[in-house]
Coordinates of all heavy atoms in Angstrom, one line a residue:
M1 N -158.1 135.6 4.4 CA -158.9 135.6 3.1 C -159.9 136.8 3.1 O -160.6 137.0 4.1 CB -159.7 134.3 3.1 CG -160.3 134.0 1.9 SD -159.2 133.5 0.4 CE -158.9 131.8 0.9
I2 N -159.7 137.6 2.0 CA -160.7 138.7 2.0 C -161.5 138.5 0.7 O -161.1 138.1 -0.3 CB -159.9 140.1 1.9 CG1 -158.9 140.2 0.9 CG2 -159.2 140.2 3.3 CD1 -158.3 141.5 0.7
D3 N -162.8 139.1 0.9 CA -163.7 139.1 -0.2 C -163.6 140.4 -1.0 O -163.7 141.4 -0.4 CB -165.2 139.0 0.4 CG -166.2 138.9 -0.8 OD1 -165.9 139.1 -1.9 OD2 -167.3 138.4 -0.4
L4 N -163.2 140.3 -2.3 CA -162.9 141.5 -3.0 C -164.2 142.0 -3.8 O -164.1 143.0 -4.3 CB -161.9 141.2 -4.2 CG -160.5 140.7 -3.6 CD1 -159.6 140.4 -4.8 CD2 -159.9 141.7 -2.7
G5 N -165.3 141.2 -3.6 CA -166.5 141.5 -4.3 C -166.8 140.8 -5.5 O -166.1 139.8 -5.8
P6 N -167.9 141.1 -6.2 CA -168.4 140.3 -7.3 C -167.3 140.4 -8.5 O -166.8 141.4 -8.7 CB -169.7 140.9 -7.7 CG -170.0 141.9 -6.7 CD -168.8 142.2 -5.9
E7 N -167.1 139.1 -9.1 CA -166.2 139.1 -10.2 C -166.6 140.1 -11.2 O -165.8 140.7 -11.9 CB -166.2 137.7 -10.8 CG -165.2 137.5 -11.9 CD -165.2 136.0 -12.4 OE1 -166.2 135.2 -12.0 OE2 -164.3 135.7 -13.0
T8 N -167.9 140.2 -11.5 CA -168.4 141.2 -12.5 C -168.1 142.6 -12.2 O -168.3 143.5 -13.1 CB -169.9 140.9 -12.7 OG1 -170.6 141.1 -11.4 CG2 -170.4 139.6 -13.2
G9 N -167.7 143.0 -11.0 CA -167.4 144.3 -10.7 C -166.0 144.7 -11.1 O -165.7 145.9 -11.1
F10 N -165.3 143.8 -11.8 CA -164.0 144.1 -12.3 C -164.0 143.9 -13.8 O -164.2 142.9 -14.3 CB -162.9 143.3 -11.6 CG -162.7 143.4 -10.2 CD1 -163.3 142.6 -9.3 CD2 -162.1 144.5 -9.6 CE1 -163.3 142.7 -7.9 CE2 -161.9 144.7 -8.3 CZ -162.6 143.8 -7.4
E11 N -163.8 145.1 -14.5 CA -163.8 145.0 -15.9 C -162.5 145.3 -16.5 O -162.2 144.8 -17.7 CB -164.9 145.9 -16.4 CG -166.3 145.6 -16.0 CD -167.4 146.5 -16.4 OE1 -167.1 147.6 -16.8 OE2 -168.6 146.1 -16.3
K12 N -161.7 146.2 -16.0 CA -160.5 146.5 -16.6 C -159.3 146.0 -15.6 O -159.4 146.2 -14.4 CB -160.3 148.1 -16.7 CG -161.2 148.6 -17.9 CD -161.0 150.1 -17.9 CE -159.5 150.4 -18.3 NZ -159.4 151.9 -18.5
F13 N -158.2 145.5 -16.2 CA -157.2 145.0 -15.6 C -155.8 145.7 -15.9 O -155.7 145.9 -17.2 CB -157.0 143.5 -15.6 CG -158.3 142.8 -15.1 CD1 -159.3 142.6 -15.9 CD2 -158.3 142.6 -13.8 CE1 -160.5 142.0 -15.4 CE2 -159.5 141.9 -13.3 CZ -160.6 141.6 -14.2
P14 N -154.9 145.9 -15.1 CA -155.0 145.7 -13.7 C -156.0 146.6 -13.0 O -156.1 147.8 -13.4 CB -153.6 145.9 -13.2 CG -152.9 146.8 -14.2 CD -153.6 146.5 -15.5
A15 N -156.7 146.1 -12.0 CA -157.6 147.0 -11.2 C -156.9 147.2 -9.8 O -156.4 146.3 -9.3 CB -158.9 146.2 -11.0
Q16 N -157.1 148.4 -9.4 CA -156.4 148.7 -8.1 C -157.4 148.3 -7.1 O -158.6 148.5 -7.1 CB -156.1 150.2 -8.0 CG -155.5 150.5 -6.6 CD -154.9 152.0 -6.4 OE1 -154.7 152.6 -7.5 NE2 -154.9 152.4 -5.3
V17 N -156.9 147.6 -6.0 CA -157.7 147.1 -4.9 C -157.1 147.6 -3.6 O -155.9 147.5 -3.4 CB -157.7 145.5 -4.9 CG1 -158.3 145.1 -3.5 CG2 -158.3 145.0 -6.1
D18 N -157.9 148.4 -2.9 CA -157.4 148.9 -1.5 C -158.0 148.2 -0.5 O -159.2 147.9 -0.5 CB -157.7 150.4 -1.4 CG -157.1 151.2 -2.5 OD1 -155.9 151.1 -2.8 OD2 -157.7 152.1 -3.1
W19 N -157.2 147.7 0.5 CA -157.7 147.0 1.7 C -156.9 147.5 2.9 O -155.7 147.4 3.0 CB -157.5 145.5 1.4 CG -158.1 144.7 2.5 CD1 -159.4 144.6 2.8 CD2 -157.4 143.9 3.5 NE1 -159.6 143.7 3.8 CE2 -158.4 143.3 4.3 CE3 -156.1 143.6 3.8 CZ2 -158.0 142.5 5.3 CZ3 -155.7 142.8 4.8 CH2 -156.7 142.2 5.5
G20 N -157.6 148.2 3.7 CA -157.0 148.8 4.9 C -156.0 149.8 4.4 O -156.2 150.7 3.6
D21 N -154.8 149.7 4.9 CA -153.6 150.6 4.6 C -152.9 150.0 3.4 O -151.8 150.7 2.9 CB -152.7 150.7 5.8 CG -153.3 151.4 7.0 OD1 -154.2 152.1 6.8 OD2 -152.7 151.2 8.1
Y22 N -153.3 148.9 2.8 CA -152.7 148.3 1.7 C -153.3 148.5 0.4 O -154.5 148.6 0.3 CB -152.4 146.8 2.0 CG -151.7 146.6 3.3 CD1 -152.5 146.3 4.4 CD2 -150.4 146.7 3.5 CE1 -151.9 146.0 5.7 CE2 -149.7 146.5 4.7 CZ -150.4 146.1 5.7 OH -149.8 145.9 7.0
S23 N -152.5 148.6 -0.7 CA -152.9 148.6 -2.1 C -152.3 147.4 -2.9 O -151.2 147.1 -2.7 CB -152.7 149.9 -2.7 OG -153.4 150.9 -2.1
F24 N -153.2 147.0 -3.8 CA -152.7 145.8 -4.7 C -153.3 146.2 -6.1 O -154.1 147.0 -6.3 CB -153.4 144.6 -4.2 CG -153.2 144.2 -2.7 CD1 -154.0 144.7 -1.7 CD2 -152.1 143.4 -2.4 CE1 -153.8 144.3 -0.5 CE2 -151.9 143.1 -1.1 CZ -152.7 143.6 -0.1
F25 N -152.7 145.3 -6.9 CA -153.2 145.4 -8.4 C -153.8 144.0 -8.6 O -153.1 142.9 -8.4 CB -152.1 145.6 -9.4 CG -151.4 146.9 -9.2 CD1 -150.2 147.0 -8.7 CD2 -152.0 148.0 -9.7 CE1 -149.5 148.2 -8.5 CE2 -151.4 149.3 -9.6 CZ -150.2 149.4 -9.0
L26 N -155.1 144.0 -9.0 CA -155.7 142.7 -9.3 C -155.4 142.5 -10.8 O -155.7 143.3 -11.6 CB -157.2 142.8 -9.2 CG -158.0 141.5 -9.6 CD1 -157.6 140.3 -8.7 CD2 -159.5 141.8 -9.5
V27 N -154.7 141.3 -11.1 CA -154.4 141.1 -12.5 C -155.1 139.7 -12.9 O -155.4 138.9 -12.1 CB -152.9 140.9 -12.7 CG1 -152.2 142.2 -12.5 CG2 -152.3 139.8 -11.9
R28 N -155.4 139.7 -14.2 CA -156.1 138.4 -14.7 C -155.0 137.7 -15.7 O -154.6 138.4 -16.7 CB -157.4 138.8 -15.4 CG -158.1 137.5 -15.8 CD -159.5 137.9 -16.3 NE -159.4 138.8 -17.4 CZ -160.6 139.4 -18.0 NH1 -161.7 139.1 -17.4 NH2 -160.5 140.2 -18.9
T29 N -154.7 136.6 -15.4 CA -153.8 135.8 -16.2 C -154.5 134.6 -16.9 O -155.7 134.3 -16.5 CB -152.6 135.4 -15.4 OG1 -153.0 134.3 -14.6 CG2 -152.0 136.5 -14.6
K30 N -153.7 133.9 -17.6 CA -154.3 132.6 -18.2 C -154.6 131.6 -17.2 O -155.5 130.8 -17.2 CB -153.3 132.0 -19.2 CG -153.1 132.8 -20.5 CD -152.2 132.1 -21.4 CE -151.8 132.9 -22.7 NZ -150.8 133.8 -22.4
Q31 N -153.8 131.8 -16.1 CA -154.1 130.8 -14.9 C -155.2 131.3 -14.0 O -155.5 130.6 -13.0 CB -152.7 130.6 -14.1 CG -151.7 129.8 -14.9 CD -151.0 130.6 -15.9 OE1 -150.7 131.8 -15.7 NE2 -150.7 130.1 -17.0
G32 N -155.6 132.5 -14.1 CA -156.7 133.1 -13.3 C -156.3 134.4 -12.6 O -155.5 135.1 -13.3
Y33 N -156.9 134.8 -11.6 CA -156.7 136.1 -11.0 C -155.5 136.0 -10.0 O -155.3 134.9 -9.4 CB -157.9 136.5 -10.2 CG -159.1 136.7 -11.1 CD1 -160.1 135.8 -11.2 CD2 -159.1 137.9 -11.9 CE1 -161.2 136.1 -12.0 CE2 -160.2 138.2 -12.8 CZ -161.3 137.3 -12.9 OH -162.4 137.5 -13.7
K34 N -154.9 137.2 -9.7 CA -153.9 137.2 -8.7 C -153.8 138.7 -8.2 O -154.0 139.5 -8.9 CB -152.5 136.9 -9.4 CG -151.3 136.7 -8.5 CD -150.1 136.4 -9.4 CE -150.2 135.0 -10.0 NZ -148.9 134.6 -10.6
L35 N -153.4 138.8 -6.9 CA -153.3 140.1 -6.4 C -151.8 140.4 -6.3 O -151.0 139.5 -5.7 CB -153.8 140.3 -5.0 CG -155.2 140.8 -4.8 CD1 -155.5 141.0 -3.2 CD2 -155.6 141.9 -5.7
L36 N -151.3 141.5 -6.8 CA -149.9 141.9 -6.7 C -149.8 143.1 -5.7 O -150.5 144.1 -6.0 CB -149.3 142.2 -8.1 CG -149.3 141.1 -9.0 CD1 -148.8 141.7 -10.4 CD2 -148.5 139.9 -8.6
S37 N -148.9 143.0 -4.7 CA -148.7 144.1 -3.8 C -148.2 145.3 -4.5 O -147.2 145.1 -5.3 CB -147.9 143.7 -2.6 OG -147.5 144.9 -1.8
N38 N -148.5 146.5 -4.1 CA -147.8 147.7 -4.7 C -146.6 148.1 -3.9 O -146.0 149.1 -4.1 CB -148.8 148.9 -4.8 CG -149.0 149.6 -3.6 OD1 -148.9 149.1 -2.4 ND2 -149.4 150.9 -3.6
V39 N -146.2 147.3 -2.8 CA -144.9 147.6 -2.1 C -143.8 146.9 -2.8 O -143.8 145.7 -3.0 CB -145.1 147.0 -0.7 CG1 -143.9 147.3 0.2 CG2 -146.3 147.7 0.1
C40 N -142.9 147.8 -3.1 CA -141.7 147.3 -3.8 C -140.9 146.4 -3.1 O -140.5 146.7 -1.9 CB -140.9 148.5 -4.3 SG -139.5 148.0 -5.4
P41 N -140.5 145.3 -3.6 CA -139.6 144.3 -2.9 C -138.1 144.9 -2.7 O -137.5 144.2 -1.9 CB -139.6 143.1 -3.7 CG -139.9 143.5 -5.1 CD -140.8 144.7 -4.9
H42 N -137.9 145.9 -3.3 CA -136.5 146.5 -3.2 C -136.3 147.2 -1.8 O -135.9 146.7 -0.9 CB -136.2 147.4 -4.3 CG -134.7 148.0 -4.3 ND1 -134.5 149.2 -4.8 CD2 -133.6 147.4 -3.8 CE1 -133.1 149.5 -4.6 NE2 -132.6 148.4 -4.0
H43 N -136.9 148.4 -1.7 CA -136.9 149.1 -0.5 C -138.2 149.7 -0.1 O -138.2 150.8 0.5 CB -135.8 150.2 -0.5 CG -134.5 149.8 -0.4 ND1 -134.0 149.0 0.7 CD2 -133.4 149.8 -1.3 CE1 -132.7 148.7 0.5 NE2 -132.3 149.2 -0.7
G44 N -139.2 149.0 -0.5 CA -140.6 149.5 -0.1 C -141.2 150.7 -0.8 O -142.3 151.3 -0.3
G45 N -140.7 151.1 -2.0 CA -141.3 152.1 -2.7 C -142.7 151.8 -3.2 O -143.1 150.6 -3.1
E46 N -143.4 152.7 -3.7 CA -144.7 152.5 -4.2 C -144.8 152.2 -5.7 O -144.5 153.0 -6.5 CB -145.7 153.7 -3.9 CG -147.2 153.4 -4.2 CD -148.0 154.7 -3.8 OE1 -147.6 155.4 -2.9 OE2 -149.1 155.0 -4.4
I47 N -145.1 151.0 -6.0 CA -145.2 150.5 -7.3 C -146.5 151.0 -8.0 O -147.5 151.1 -7.5 CB -145.2 149.0 -7.5 CG1 -143.8 148.4 -6.9 CG2 -145.4 148.5 -8.9 CD1 -143.8 146.9 -6.8
V48 N -146.3 151.6 -9.3 CA -147.4 152.1 -10.0 C -147.7 151.3 -11.3 O -146.6 150.6 -11.9 CB -147.2 153.6 -10.4 CG1 -147.1 154.5 -9.1 CG2 -146.0 153.8 -11.2
D49 N -148.9 151.4 -11.9 CA -149.2 150.8 -13.1 C -148.5 151.7 -14.3 O -148.9 152.9 -14.4 CB -150.7 150.8 -13.3 CG -151.1 150.1 -14.6 OD1 -150.3 149.8 -15.4 OD2 -152.4 150.2 -14.8
W50 N -147.6 151.1 -15.0 CA -146.8 151.9 -15.9 C -147.2 151.6 -17.4 O -146.5 151.6 -18.3 CB -145.4 151.7 -15.7 CG -144.4 152.6 -16.3 CD1 -143.5 152.5 -17.4 CD2 -144.3 154.0 -15.9 NE1 -142.9 153.7 -17.6 CE2 -143.3 154.6 -16.7 CE3 -144.8 154.7 -14.8 CZ2 -142.9 155.9 -16.5 CZ3 -144.4 156.1 -14.7 CH2 -143.5 156.6 -15.5
G51 N -148.4 151.2 -17.6 CA -149.0 150.9 -18.8 C -148.7 149.4 -19.3 O -149.5 148.5 -19.1
T52 N -147.5 149.2 -19.8 CA -147.2 147.9 -20.3 C -146.6 147.0 -19.2 O -146.3 145.8 -19.4 CB -146.2 147.9 -21.5 OG1 -145.1 148.6 -21.2 CG2 -147.0 148.5 -22.7
C53 N -146.2 147.6 -18.1 CA -145.7 146.9 -17.0 C -146.0 147.7 -15.7 O -146.6 148.7 -15.7 CB -144.1 146.8 -17.1 SG -143.2 148.3 -17.1
F54 N -145.5 147.1 -14.5 CA -145.5 147.9 -13.3 C -144.1 148.5 -13.1 O -143.1 148.0 -13.5 CB -145.9 147.0 -12.1 CG -147.2 146.4 -12.2 CD1 -147.4 145.0 -12.5 CD2 -148.4 147.2 -12.1 CE1 -148.8 144.6 -12.6 CE2 -149.6 146.8 -12.1 CZ -149.8 145.4 -12.5
M55 N -144.2 149.6 -12.3 CA -142.8 150.2 -12.2 C -142.7 150.9 -10.8 O -143.8 151.5 -10.3 CB -142.6 151.4 -13.2 CG -141.2 151.8 -13.5 SD -140.7 153.2 -12.5 CE -141.6 154.5 -13.3
C56 N -141.5 150.9 -10.2 CA -141.3 151.7 -8.9 C -140.4 152.9 -9.2 O -139.3 152.7 -9.6 CB -140.6 150.7 -8.0 SG -140.2 151.6 -6.4
P57 N -141.0 154.0 -9.1 CA -140.3 155.3 -9.4 C -139.0 155.5 -8.6 O -138.3 156.3 -9.0 CB -141.4 156.4 -9.2 CG -142.6 155.7 -9.1 CD -142.4 154.4 -8.5
D58 N -139.0 154.9 -7.4 CA -137.8 155.2 -6.5 C -136.5 154.9 -7.1 O -135.6 155.7 -7.0 CB -138.0 154.4 -5.1 CG -139.1 155.0 -4.3 OD1 -139.8 155.8 -4.7 OD2 -139.1 154.6 -3.1
H59 N -136.3 153.7 -7.7 CA -135.1 153.4 -8.4 C -135.3 152.7 -9.8 O -134.4 152.1 -10.2 CB -134.3 152.4 -7.5 CG -134.1 152.8 -6.1 ND1 -134.9 152.4 -5.0 CD2 -133.3 153.8 -5.6 CE1 -134.6 153.1 -3.9 NE2 -133.7 153.9 -4.2
G60 N -136.6 152.8 -10.2 CA -136.8 152.3 -11.6 C -136.9 150.8 -11.9 O -136.9 150.4 -13.1
W61 N -137.1 150.1 -10.8 CA -137.4 148.6 -11.1 C -138.7 148.5 -11.9 O -139.7 149.1 -11.5 CB -137.5 147.8 -9.9 CG -136.0 147.5 -9.2 CD1 -134.9 148.2 -9.4 CD2 -135.9 146.5 -8.3 NE1 -133.9 147.6 -8.6 CE2 -134.5 146.6 -7.9 CE3 -136.6 145.6 -7.5 CZ2 -133.8 145.9 -7.0 CZ3 -136.0 144.7 -6.6 CH2 -134.7 144.9 -6.3
R62 N -138.7 147.7 -12.8 CA -139.9 147.4 -13.5 C -140.3 145.9 -13.4 O -139.4 145.1 -13.2 CB -139.8 147.7 -15.0 CG -139.8 149.2 -15.3 CD -139.6 149.6 -16.7 NE -138.1 149.5 -17.1 CZ -137.6 148.8 -18.0 NH1 -138.5 148.1 -18.8 NH2 -136.4 148.8 -18.3
F63 N -141.6 145.7 -13.5 CA -142.1 144.3 -13.1 C -143.0 143.9 -14.3 O -143.9 144.7 -14.8 CB -142.8 144.3 -11.8 CG -141.9 144.8 -10.7 CD1 -142.0 146.1 -10.3 CD2 -141.2 143.8 -10.0 CE1 -141.1 146.6 -9.3 CE2 -140.4 144.3 -9.0 CZ -140.3 145.6 -8.6
E64 N -143.0 142.6 -14.6 CA -143.8 141.9 -15.6 C -145.2 142.1 -15.1 O -145.6 141.9 -14.0 CB -143.4 140.5 -15.7 CG -143.7 139.8 -17.0 CD -145.0 139.2 -17.0 OE1 -145.5 138.8 -15.8 OE2 -145.6 139.2 -18.0
P65 N -146.2 142.4 -16.1 CA -147.5 142.7 -15.7 C -148.4 141.5 -15.4 O -149.5 141.7 -14.8 CB -148.1 143.3 -17.0 CG -147.2 142.8 -18.1 CD -145.9 142.6 -17.5
E66 N -148.0 140.3 -15.6 CA -148.8 139.2 -15.1 C -148.3 138.5 -13.9 O -149.2 138.2 -13.0 CB -148.9 138.2 -16.3 CG -149.8 138.5 -17.4 CD -150.4 137.4 -18.2 OE1 -149.9 136.2 -17.9 OE2 -151.1 137.6 -19.0
D67 N -147.0 138.3 -13.7 CA -146.7 137.7 -12.5 C -145.8 138.5 -11.6 O -145.4 138.0 -10.6 CB -146.0 136.3 -12.8 CG -144.7 136.4 -13.4 OD1 -144.2 137.6 -13.6 OD2 -144.0 135.4 -13.8
G68 N -145.5 139.7 -12.0 CA -144.8 140.6 -11.0 C -143.4 140.4 -11.0 O -142.6 140.9 -10.2
E69 N -142.8 139.6 -11.9 CA -141.3 139.3 -11.9 C -140.5 140.5 -12.4 O -140.9 141.3 -13.3 CB -141.0 138.2 -12.9 CG -139.5 137.7 -12.8 CD -139.2 136.4 -13.5 OE1 -140.2 135.7 -13.9 OE2 -138.1 136.1 -13.7
C70 N -139.4 140.9 -11.7 CA -138.6 142.0 -12.0 C -138.0 141.8 -13.5 O -137.3 140.8 -13.7 CB -137.6 142.2 -10.9 SG -136.7 143.8 -11.2
I71 N -138.2 142.9 -14.3 CA -137.7 142.9 -15.7 C -136.3 143.3 -15.8 O -135.5 142.7 -16.5 CB -138.5 143.7 -16.6 CG1 -140.0 143.1 -16.5 CG2 -138.1 143.7 -18.0 CD1 -141.0 144.1 -17.2
N72 N -135.9 144.4 -15.0 CA -134.6 145.0 -15.2 C -133.7 145.0 -14.0 O -132.9 145.8 -14.0 CB -134.9 146.4 -15.7 CG -135.6 147.3 -14.6 OD1 -136.3 146.8 -13.8 ND2 -135.4 148.6 -14.7
G73 N -133.9 144.1 -13.1 CA -133.2 144.2 -11.8 C -132.8 142.7 -11.4 O -132.9 141.8 -12.2
P74 N -132.6 142.6 -10.2 CA -132.0 141.3 -9.8 C -133.3 140.3 -9.7 O -134.4 140.8 -10.0 CB -131.6 141.4 -8.3 CG -132.2 142.9 -7.9 CD -132.4 143.5 -9.1
N75 N -133.0 139.1 -9.4 CA -134.0 138.0 -9.2 C -135.0 138.4 -8.1 O -134.8 138.1 -6.9 CB -133.4 136.7 -9.0 CG -134.4 135.6 -9.0 OD1 -135.5 135.8 -9.4 ND2 -133.9 134.5 -8.6
A76 N -136.1 139.1 -8.5 CA -137.0 139.5 -7.5 C -138.4 139.6 -8.1 O -138.5 139.7 -9.4 CB -136.7 141.0 -6.8
R77 N -139.3 139.6 -7.3 CA -140.8 139.8 -7.9 C -141.6 140.5 -6.8 O -141.4 140.5 -5.7 CB -141.4 138.5 -8.3 CG -141.6 137.5 -7.3 CD -142.2 136.2 -7.7 NE -141.4 135.6 -8.7 CZ -141.9 135.2 -10.0 NH1 -143.3 135.4 -10.2 NH2 -141.1 134.6 -10.8
M78 N -142.7 141.1 -7.4 CA -143.7 141.7 -6.5 C -144.4 140.6 -5.7 O -144.5 139.4 -6.1 CB -144.8 142.3 -7.3 CG -144.3 143.5 -8.2 SD -145.5 144.0 -9.5 CE -146.7 144.9 -8.6
W79 N -144.7 141.0 -4.4 CA -145.4 140.0 -3.6 C -146.8 139.7 -4.2 O -147.6 140.6 -4.6 CB -145.6 140.5 -2.2 CG -144.3 140.5 -1.3 CD1 -143.7 139.3 -0.9 CD2 -143.4 141.5 -1.0 NE1 -142.5 139.6 -0.3 CE2 -142.4 141.0 -0.3 CE3 -143.5 142.9 -1.2 CZ2 -141.2 141.8 0.2 CZ3 -142.4 143.7 -0.7 CH2 -141.4 143.1 0.0
S80 N -147.2 138.4 -4.3 CA -148.4 138.1 -4.9 C -149.2 137.2 -4.0 O -148.7 136.4 -3.2 CB -148.1 137.5 -6.3 OG -147.7 136.2 -6.2
Y81 N -150.6 137.2 -4.2 CA -151.4 136.5 -3.4 C -152.5 135.8 -4.4 O -153.0 136.4 -5.3 CB -152.2 137.4 -2.4 CG -151.3 138.1 -1.5 CD1 -150.8 139.3 -1.9 CD2 -150.7 137.5 -0.3 CE1 -149.8 140.0 -1.0 CE2 -149.8 138.1 0.4 CZ -149.4 139.4 0.0 OH -148.4 140.0 0.9
E82 N -152.7 134.5 -4.0 CA -153.8 133.8 -4.9 C -155.2 134.4 -4.8 O -155.5 134.8 -3.6 CB -153.7 132.4 -4.5 CG -152.4 131.7 -4.8 CD -152.0 131.8 -6.3 OE1 -152.8 131.5 -7.1 OE2 -150.8 132.0 -6.5
V83 N -155.9 134.3 -5.8 CA -157.3 134.8 -5.8 C -158.1 133.6 -6.4 O -157.8 133.1 -7.4 CB -157.5 136.1 -6.6 CG1 -158.9 136.4 -6.8 CG2 -156.6 137.2 -6.0
T84 N -159.2 133.3 -5.7 CA -160.0 132.3 -6.2 C -161.4 132.8 -6.3 O -161.8 133.8 -5.7 CB -160.1 131.1 -5.2 OG1 -160.5 131.5 -3.9 CG2 -158.8 130.3 -5.2
V85 N -162.2 132.2 -7.2 CA -163.6 132.6 -7.4 C -164.5 131.7 -6.8 O -164.4 130.4 -6.9 CB -164.0 132.6 -9.0 CG1 -165.4 133.1 -9.1 CG2 -162.9 133.5 -9.7
R86 N -165.4 132.2 -5.9 CA -166.4 131.4 -5.1 C -167.7 132.1 -5.2 O -167.8 133.2 -4.7 CB -165.9 131.1 -3.7 CG -165.3 129.7 -3.5 CD -165.0 129.4 -2.1 NE -164.1 130.4 -1.5 CZ -164.2 130.9 -0.2 NH1 -165.1 130.4 0.5 NH2 -163.3 131.7 0.1
D87 N -168.7 131.4 -5.5 CA -170.1 132.0 -5.6 C -170.1 133.3 -6.4 O -170.7 134.3 -5.9 CB -170.6 132.2 -4.2 CG -170.7 130.7 -3.5 OD1 -170.9 129.8 -4.2 OD2 -170.5 130.7 -2.2
G88 N -169.3 133.5 -7.4 CA -169.2 134.7 -8.1 C -168.4 135.8 -7.5 O -168.4 136.9 -8.0
H89 N -167.9 135.6 -6.4 CA -167.0 136.6 -5.7 C -165.5 136.2 -5.7 O -165.2 135.0 -5.8 CB -167.4 136.7 -4.2 CG -168.6 137.7 -4.0 ND1 -168.6 138.6 -3.0 CD2 -169.7 137.6 -4.6 CE1 -169.7 139.2 -3.1 NE2 -170.5 138.6 -4.0
L90 N -164.6 137.2 -5.9 CA -163.3 137.0 -5.8 C -162.7 136.9 -4.3 O -163.0 138.0 -3.7 CB -162.5 138.1 -6.5 CG -162.9 138.2 -8.1 CD1 -162.0 139.2 -8.7 CD2 -162.7 136.9 -8.7
H91 N -162.1 135.9 -3.9 CA -161.4 135.9 -2.6 C -160.0 135.8 -2.7 O -159.4 134.9 -3.4 CB -162.0 134.6 -1.9 CG -163.5 134.6 -1.7 ND1 -164.1 135.2 -0.4 CD2 -164.5 134.3 -2.5 CE1 -165.4 135.1 -0.6 NE2 -165.6 134.6 -1.8
A92 N -159.4 136.7 -2.0 CA -157.9 136.8 -2.0 C -157.3 136.3 -0.8 O -157.8 136.5 0.3 CB -157.3 138.2 -2.2
D93 N -156.2 135.4 -1.0 CA -155.6 134.8 0.2 C -154.5 135.7 0.8 O -153.3 135.5 0.8 CB -154.9 133.5 -0.3 CG -154.5 132.6 0.8 OD1 -154.9 132.9 2.0 OD2 -153.8 131.6 0.6
V94 N -155.0 136.8 1.3 CA -154.1 137.8 1.9 C -154.2 137.6 3.5 O -155.2 137.5 4.0 CB -154.6 139.3 1.6 CG1 -153.8 140.4 2.3 CG2 -154.6 139.5 0.1
P95 N -152.9 137.7 4.1 CA -152.9 137.5 5.6 C -153.7 138.6 6.2 O -153.6 139.7 5.8 CB -151.4 137.6 5.9 CG -150.7 137.3 4.7 CD -151.6 137.7 3.5
S96 N -154.5 138.3 7.3 CA -155.4 139.2 7.7 C -154.6 140.1 8.8 O -155.4 141.1 9.3 CB -156.6 138.6 8.4 OG -156.2 137.6 9.4
D97 N -153.5 139.9 9.2 CA -152.8 140.7 10.1 C -151.3 140.7 9.8 O -150.8 140.3 8.9 CB -152.9 140.6 11.6 CG -153.0 139.1 12.0 OD1 -152.1 138.2 11.6 OD2 -154.0 138.7 12.7
Ligands
LIG1 S1 -137.6 150.9 -3.7 FE1 -138.5 150.3 -5.6 S2 -136.8 150.2 -7.0 FE2 -136.0 150.7 -5.0

């Protein structure tokens, strides 16, 4: 579990979150917050924010902007982690090692 900082520190979504060697996109959905990994589930390419969706430039897989489901490829989705709000801070359920 990692503390992403105060909820008020995030104003635009998706927000890039870096933690150690890893990067994520913090998204806000009707169900709450979620972290989506920028590591592509296909062959590990680097997923980028493509405006209306996420996209991996390596082979062009695109992902739905709220839950990371692949739009134009096989049944796959971005790795996602639950985020909860506690005491005004966002806490992400990311494995610590
Ligand atoms: S590695 Fe991302 S689409 Fe192939």
Side-chain angles (χ1 to χ4, degrees):
M1 189 73 79
I2 58 173
D3 185 344
L4 303 178
E7 183 179 18
T8 53
F10 297 97
E11 295 175 348
K12 286 183 64 179
F13 298 94
Q16 183 169 338
V17 172
D18 296 317
W19 186 67
D21 293 335
Y22 303 100
S23 291
F24 304 88
F25 298 105
L26 176 67
V27 297
R28 187 171 57 186
T29 72
K30 292 186 186 80
Q31 289 76 38
Y33 297 102
K34 191 182 292 190
L35 270 190
L36 300 175
S37 170
N38 81 334
V39 177
C40 182
H42 182 214
H43 283 301
E46 185 177 330
I47 295 171
V48 298
D49 180 1
W50 201 248
T52 56
C53 65
F54 296 109
M55 197 271 284
C56 177
D58 283 14
H59 308 100
W61 282 18
R62 286 180 279 123
F63 302 90
E64 202 275 329
E66 285 203 351
D67 69 1
E69 186 172 349
C70 188
I71 298 168
N72 64 335
N75 186 13
R77 64 178 56 231
M78 296 164 73
W79 284 288
S80 70
Y81 302 93
E82 295 303 314
V83 174
T84 53
V85 183
R86 260 190 297 145
D87 300 326
H89 277 228
L90 299 182
H91 295 267
D93 194 11
V94 175
S96 55
D97 38 50

